[in-house]
Amino acid sequence: TAPTVTVTPSPSSITTAQALTVTITVSGTPTPTGSVVLTSGSYTSAATTLSGGSATINVPAGSLAKGSDTLTATYTPDAASSSTYNSATGTNTETVTAPATAPTVTVTPSPSSITTAQALSVTVTVSGTPTPTGSVVLSSGSYTSAATTLSGGSATINVPAGSLATGTDALTATYTPDSASSSTYTSATGTNTVAVTTPAKTTPTVTVSPSPSSITTAQGLTVTVAVGGTPTPTGSVVLSSGSYTSPATT
């Protein structure tokens, strides 16, 4: 009679970069003895002797083609079982996909040079087919952005003024795939640079407001001095008129 041949691959799906373990069980009473051979497409294993009615065959990475592959185990009885059992086969399927690859991450700062008083807009594009999904984080020196979700493969990150140090700063974007892309893409990074300089000095606006606007020599005078600019100026002011000079006031 023909025994029952059961083929159990583990795991049930792999990439072409992964090995596969296949357990073959040959069932019958008495327990069949002999050997099994596993085939799939161009792959054929060596004959493996049964132990307790089963055998484990390790299929090396790259042995199976992409797609839904049929695994066929062929049992051949030995002398002890040949009077009881005929040869028999069993099948199962295995899903084989391409391994995850790193997409291309492009970092585009706008503008390409700023001062420390300016904000920066950075567009991060993650390219691949199909379009990658997931999120990106931008980092440069002590600055790290929040994770930003991709939309159509890209995301825009706004870097606040003062976040980057002066000099030629490297901008590094790190892509992390979500569950929809994790079987297709690995994490990846991309870099670019931005030139950051100290802003040129400008002359602030100084407004002098006396109160009241006219006094007698017997009256004191309150003078408000406003210094305007962006960012807000810090420092001190001195008021002078004729022979009068005030102390420096912060």
Side-chain angles (χ1 to χ4, degrees):
T1 61
T4 301
V5 179
T6 305
V7 180
T8 307
S10 179
S12 59
S13 63
I14 59 169
T15 71
T16 53
Q18 290 178 285
L20 177 68
T21 298
V22 181
T23 300
I24 301 168
T25 304
V26 183
S27 304
T29 302
T31 300
T33 57
S35 62
V36 289
V37 171
L38 182 70
T39 59
S40 182
S42 61
Y43 171 76
T44 300
S45 74
T48 304
T49 301
L50 295 174
S51 175
S54 68
T56 298
I57 296 175
N58 294 310
V59 182
S63 299
L64 303 180
K66 289 188 295 182
S68 181
D69 291 6
T70 299
L71 305 172
T72 301
T74 302
Y75 163 68
T76 301
D78 59 12
S81 283
S82 60
S83 61
T84 307
Y85 296 112
N86 299 321
S87 295
T89 60
T91 62
N92 206 335
T93 58
E94 178 74 9
T95 301
V96 182
T97 60
T101 58
T104 300
V105 180
T106 305
V107 181
T108 307
S110 179
S112 58
S113 63
I114 58 169
T115 71
T116 53
Q118 289 177 286
L120 178 69
S121 178
V122 180
T123 300
V124 181
T125 304
V126 184
S127 304
T129 302
T131 301
T133 56
S135 61
V136 290
V137 171
L138 183 71
S139 61
S140 181
S142 61
Y143 171 77
T144 301
S145 74
T148 304
T149 302
L150 295 173
S151 176
S154 67
T156 299
I157 297 172
N158 295 309
V159 182
S163 299
L164 304 180
T166 55
T168 300
D169 292 4
L171 303 171
T172 301
T174 302
Y175 163 70
T176 301
D178 60 13
S179 58
S181 281
S182 59
S183 62
T184 306
Y185 297 112
T186 63
S187 296
T189 61
T191 62
N192 206 337
T193 58
V194 63
V196 183
T197 58
T198 301
K201 290 183 179 180
T202 59
T203 301
T205 301
V206 180
T207 304
V208 180
S209 302
S211 179
S213 59
S214 63
I215 59 170
T216 69
T217 54
Q219 289 179 288
L221 179 66
T222 299
V223 180
T224 300
V225 180
V227 183
T230 302
T232 301
T234 57
S236 61
V237 291
V238 171
L239 182 69
S240 61
S241 180
S243 60
Y244 170 79
T245 301
S246 74
T249 303
T250 301

